[in-house]
Amino acid sequence: MTRALTSSGLIHAVAASLLALAACDSGGHGTDAGADAATDLDGSGQLVDAEDSGDTGDEGSGSPADAEDAPLDDTAVPDVDAAEDAPPPPDCEPPERPVGALCRSPYDRACIVDADCREAETCVWRETDRLTGTCIYELPPPVVCPGSAGCESAEGQLRAAFGARVATPSGWELPRPGHGGRIDANGNPDEFVGDVTDPTTFCDCGRDMICPPTEAYADCRSLGEWTAPDADGTEGDGYMQGAWIAGFSSSRIAGLCPADLVGLSCDGPDCCVSVTAHDHVWVRGAVFDQGDLRVAVLSIDAVGYFFNDIERNLAALPADLGVDYLVFASTHTHGAPDTMGRWGPGVNGVDLPTDSGVVPGWMDEIQAAVVDLVTDAVSRLEPVDLYATHVRTGSEGFATRDSRDPFVFTDVVSALRVVRAGAAADAANTLGVFVNWHSHPEAVGGGNRLITGDYPAALRDALEHGLPEAPAIGQPAREAIGGVAVYVSGAVGGLLTPLGWDVIGRDGLTYHDDGFAKAHALGERLADATMAALSVECPDGGTGDFGCAAKLPSTALSLARAELLLPVENIEFQAAAVSLDLFHRPIYNWRFSDGSRPGNNLPRLRTGVAQLRLGAFTMQTVPGELFPEVLTGFALERASAFAIVGNPRDANCAADHVTRLADGEAPRFGCLVRQSNPAPPALESAPTAPGLYDAIPGDYLMLLGNGMDSIGYLIPSYDFVVDPDLGVLIEMPGDHYEEGVSVGDSLGVILDAVAEITAALGR
């Protein structure tokens, strides 16, 4: 996620309405606010008595409620089953649910009996409860394969198959003329200025983008000849099925590519694959299989993908495929439609939209692509060998900008090439390759309105088809890697971005301005570095060296995964999830009537982490945008083995990374921290523990950022700074934008879970 302007008035209004809803019972729920307010949820998700609690709890804990801490008081719990005159359950309007005689929001986890809760929840009462208890979800133990039920062994030859499916939306509805804001060079409006429930402001033609030939649609653009209404019922339904470009700000409606940029006659980075996309949104990945363990590892061109949507996709896979788990990551492109809900229709530049940007029909298309890809891959599994490499790009020409202090840019490209067993590692025998780097896919910039995967699209294309000679930068032609190229983003938080910095293309030209030319140049440079490293065999068959490829001596497959419950401390996210219903994801262990006081009754998100090992190659997911210094560690000498430590454009940086501002002033970091920063991070308080590169076993580590979930920035606790009263509503001095796009100070809990599953798999 990248900066967007904030309308504090909207946020304050939404937050106020949320707090009013949460701090007391509205009366419609029929709860005794005075009695229920004494029952709180502490930071661990456990029920506690506010009057007996001497602290605010551990806000970072993900522990479940302990049944022994929630004794049942028979005098407090109404005997609903025994009451002869108990009223029948109400007929609630979805998504509300009946609880006793009342209808409640699905986000309000109040309950009377277990039947009021979701399948994995239990209705827990405390002695202070009078009319309702709380549905509590208890975390299951981690799953470790081989060893856990269903994946007892992982013996024999590793098998794999790759696949790729286009997941570009089949269509969407466009603004009517006069309701699209400014018009860009391609003839597309930069935003939607209208009402998504008022067809006079948009073309209610349906998701096939073909309008009826009637006067009512005379000012609408149609992409074909109308024969019948859309089969999905979206035509004339009175609601705008938009494609809202995610990543910069809300209300950015996707546009259409001009006819002269579509087709074989067009040549250059601005050319489009179709009228509806500059380049396609893809779901790409592989299925790995060994013994009882079968895992699909997929990546989607999207800003993010929620944990519950991944679970929904996994559940949709036919049982006879035998897939134990779906490891899923998003590239975090800022050029694809919204998959999370945060960038829907609203006011361009405002943090939160007025409506969700998720279109259910498109999410169904993504799921269909996932199911088709995995089903086909399972049918083609074959024995494979693995080749791994990692190489550093350096700072010159790769737009390696870190916009938040301290300046640490992880410039390591990691790659895993999967080749038919016993065959040469060439294009003909390569099934696919996973590639990973660490920078926001936003080189096209926030002004773009065409669907794109940004620089990963050019990187994948080059890996699959090769590159010509580049004499301008002294690079030879590169032969295609072959197979299916899969890109996954790494540690992009903190904030790593190509915006505002130069890319030097293989043509020797410098690309500074945002656009498709810059994205294309960066993708090709990254592909060039990857192909160069894969073309060099490591000496003596050793593994772990930089800049060369090694055949892994072991292809042992293993997996560990764990669930987490994280408190949503961010009041904007609370408003987005509950008051505005933007995210469409479940909330856990929270009752409206308990209030929303930090450290106590905070809503919980259910999320998770996974670690997949393929011999000496490890893939580790984190559910958001990790700061790169967490990956490298804060010890400068060690971090410099994996990252550009210190701003290479800061001429005042001393060799020891410390610069004095003036005589008599205290020493202060120069290139690690901008001299203009009014509130630099307290690096003396930074953690001393090793970074993930050292803490996770294996000769190669591929971090899957936004893996298994997308909950925002994952900020080290020492530098997590918010206003003590208004929280994220006020950005603190220095550079603390990322706090406003995070669930809260939760990184410690996530890293504890990573350590737990790492230990479970062993060194």
Side-chain angles (χ1 to χ4, degrees):
M1 303 174 189
T2 299
R3 294 179 186 279
L5 299 175
T6 302
S7 172
S8 59
L10 174 64
I11 300 306
H12 279 276
V14 173
S17 68
L18 175 66
L19 288 174
L21 176 67
C24 65
D25 197 300
S26 65
H29 297 307
T31 313
D32 183 344
D36 275 352
T39 302
D40 290 316
L41 289 170
D42 71 5
S44 67
Q46 294 180 335
L47 288 166
V48 298
D49 293 335
E51 61 189 17
D52 295 333
S53 177
D55 55 53
T56 59
D58 177 7
E59 297 183 19
S61 173
S63 302
D66 188 332
E68 294 183 359
D69 288 338
L72 185 67
D73 180 354
D74 292 333
T75 65
V77 183
D79 190 358
V80 175
D81 295 331
E84 296 181 0
D85 58 348
D91 185 14
C92 299
E93 186 76 19
E96 288 193 331
R97 62 191 180 92
V99 178
L102 301 171
C103 293
R104 289 190 180 257
S105 163
Y107 301 116
D108 182 357
R109 305 312 303 154
C111 61
I112 296 174
V113 294
D114 286 349
D116 295 330
C117 302
R118 291 181 287 241
E119 182 177 353
E121 296 172 328
T122 302
C123 188
V124 176
W125 288 73
R126 288 301 306 263
E127 294 178 356
T128 50
D129 292 334
R130 291 296 176 262
L131 296 179
T132 60
T134 304
C135 294
I136 294 296
Y137 179 80
E138 296 193 10
L139 293 173
V143 174
V144 182
C145 301
S148 294
C151 58
E152 288 81 1
S153 70
E155 300 176 352
Q157 176 71 51
L158 177 69
R159 300 189 299 163
F162 279 70
R165 295 294 184 274
V166 171
T168 305
S170 58
W172 60 93
E173 293 174 332
L174 296 167
R176 287 182 183 268
H179 294 279
R182 293 175 297 179
I183 304 301
D184 68 13
N186 291 324
N188 293 310
D190 69 340
E191 62 178 320
F192 173 58
V193 183
D195 184 344
V196 293
T197 62
D198 180 3
T200 66
T201 66
F202 68 92
C203 298
D204 198 4
C205 304
R207 295 183 64 243
D208 65 359
M209 307 185 83
I210 300 176
C211 303
T214 65
E215 183 64 25
Y217 296 97
D219 60 347
C220 294
R221 180 176 178 181
S222 182
L223 298 190
E225 183 177 351
W226 188 90
T227 57
D230 292 45
D232 63 5
T234 56
E235 181 179 307
D237 65 351
Y239 185 81
M240 185 177 182
Q241 312 287 328
W244 310 100
I245 300 293
F248 285 96
S249 63
S250 61
S251 207
R252 294 197 306 146
I253 186 73
L256 302 177
C257 200
D260 62 334
L261 295 181
V262 182
L264 298 178
S265 60
C266 183
D267 182 29
D270 289 329
C271 297
C272 301
V273 296
S274 71
V275 174
T276 57
H278 174 271
D279 51 89
H280 282 306
V281 170
W282 289 90
V283 176
R284 293 166 172 257
V287 174
F288 294 99
D289 170 279
Q290 193 173 55
D292 297 328
L293 180 56
R294 181 171 291 172
V295 182
V297 184
L298 304 182
S299 175
I300 182 173
D301 288 319
V303 72
Y305 209 71
F306 282 149
F307 186 78
N308 53 296
D309 290 319
I310 296 170
E311 287 195 316
R312 184 172 66 94
N313 292 171
L314 177 61
L317 296 176
D320 59 4
L321 292 181
V323 175
D324 297 295
Y325 201 57
L326 179 58
V327 177
F328 204 105
S330 60
T331 64
H332 199 54
T333 176
H334 284 32
D338 192 0
T339 46
M340 298 169 63
R342 194 172 180 270
W343 293 277
V347 180
N348 194 352
V350 175
D351 271 3
L352 295 181
T354 56
D355 205 356
S356 175
V358 172
V359 175
W362 184 45
M363 298 299 284
D364 292 340
E365 291 173 3
I366 292 174
Q367 178 165 295
V370 169
V371 172
D372 188 53
L373 187 161
V374 174
T375 301
D376 178 61
V378 167
S379 72
R380 296 184 289 102
L381 289 168
E382 60 181 299
V384 295
D385 293 327
L386 303 176
Y387 292 80
T389 189
H390 47 200
V391 61
R392 296 189 57 179
T393 62
S395 62
E396 185 65 28
F398 284 89
T400 52
R401 178 188 175 199
D402 183 356
S403 64
R404 172 167 170 160
D405 295 334
F407 192 109
V408 178
F409 192 106
T410 315
D411 64 332
V412 176
V413 176
S414 301
L416 179 70
R417 186 177 195 172
V418 182
V419 179
R420 290 186 175 88
D426 55 23
N429 292 299
T430 295
L431 304 185
V433 58
F434 283 90
V435 182
N436 169 243
W437 198 53
H438 310 268
S439 187
H440 271 67
E442 57 183 11
V444 173
N448 169 60
R449 295 298 182 269
L450 299 179
I451 290 175
T452 177
D454 210 270
Y455 72 78
L459 185 156
R460 294 182 307 227
D461 185 70
L463 291 175
E464 292 177 357
H465 300 101
L467 289 169
E469 183 182 6
I473 61 170
Q475 296 298 328
R478 304 291 185 191
E479 293 185 0
I481 298 300
V484 175
V486 183
Y487 181 82
V488 291
S489 284
V492 302
L495 182 158
L496 306 193
T497 175
L499 295 178
W501 280 33
D502 294 343
V503 172
I504 299 176
R506 296 182 85 248
D507 55 8
L509 299 179
T510 297
Y511 298 89
H512 179 81
D513 295 338
D514 309 336
F516 288 109
K518 182 175 184 177
H520 185 80
L522 180 56
E524 285 199 340
R525 287 296 306 273
L526 291 169
D528 190 294
T530 305
M531 298 157 93
L534 285 171
S535 67
V536 178
E537 183 178 349
C538 289
D540 302 322
T543 59
D545 293 344
F546 279 83
C548 61
K551 181 178 180 180
L552 300 186
S554 169
T555 57
L557 176 66
S558 59
L559 169 76
R561 56 185 176 89
E563 290 186 14
L564 303 167
L565 285 175
L566 298 180
V568 182
E569 302 165 12
N570 186 329
I571 195 169
E572 282 192 24
F573 280 17
Q574 292 179 23
V578 179
S579 293
L580 297 176
D581 192 26
L582 299 180
F583 296 154
H584 300 165
R585 69 179 291 170
I587 290 293
Y588 291 85
N589 299 11
W590 189 42
R591 281 202 346 237
F592 284 177
S593 56
D594 291 331
S596 180
R597 292 181 289 278
N600 290 312
N601 183 46
L602 291 172
R604 262 54 182 184
L605 293 181
R606 179 168 157 262
T607 185
V609 293
Q611 185 176 125
L612 182 74
R613 297 186 190 176
L614 292 153
F617 196 98
T618 302
M619 294 182 179
Q620 175 64 58
T621 73
V622 290
E625 301 168 66
L626 187 70
F627 277 37
E629 50 266 37
V630 180
L631 189 57
T632 65
F634 286 84
L636 297 184
E637 184 175 353
R638 181 56 180 159
S640 63
F642 308 105
I644 301 165
V645 178
N647 187 345
R649 294 169 56 165
D650 187 343
N652 297 318
C653 181
D656 61 358
H657 306 284
V658 176
T659 301
R660 287 187 178 276
L661 297 178
D663 291 341
E665 294 191 17
R668 179 174 172 186
F669 287 105
C671 67
L672 268 180
V673 176
R674 288 171 289 119
Q675 296 187 29
S676 60
N677 190 337
L683 294 180
E684 66 277 5
S685 300
T688 58
L692 294 182
Y693 272 128
D694 289 323
I696 294 178
D699 294 327
Y700 306 90
L701 174 62
M702 179 175 285
L703 184 85
L704 277 61
N706 284 297
M708 300 311 300
D709 209 343
S710 301
I711 63 172
Y713 287 97
L714 308 178
I715 306 168
S717 292
Y718 88 95
D719 196 32
F720 188 93
V721 182
V722 297
D723 185 90
D725 298 316
L726 296 177
V728 301
L729 297 180
I730 301 295
E731 184 175 328
M732 298 296 284
D735 194 359
H736 294 282
Y737 154 78
E738 289 80 6
E739 281 84 343
V741 198
S742 71
V743 297
D745 186 9
S746 298
L747 177 58
V749 183
I750 296 169
L751 293 180
D752 286 346
V754 171
E756 181 180 15
I757 60 177
T758 298
L761 287 175
R763 301 296 298 184

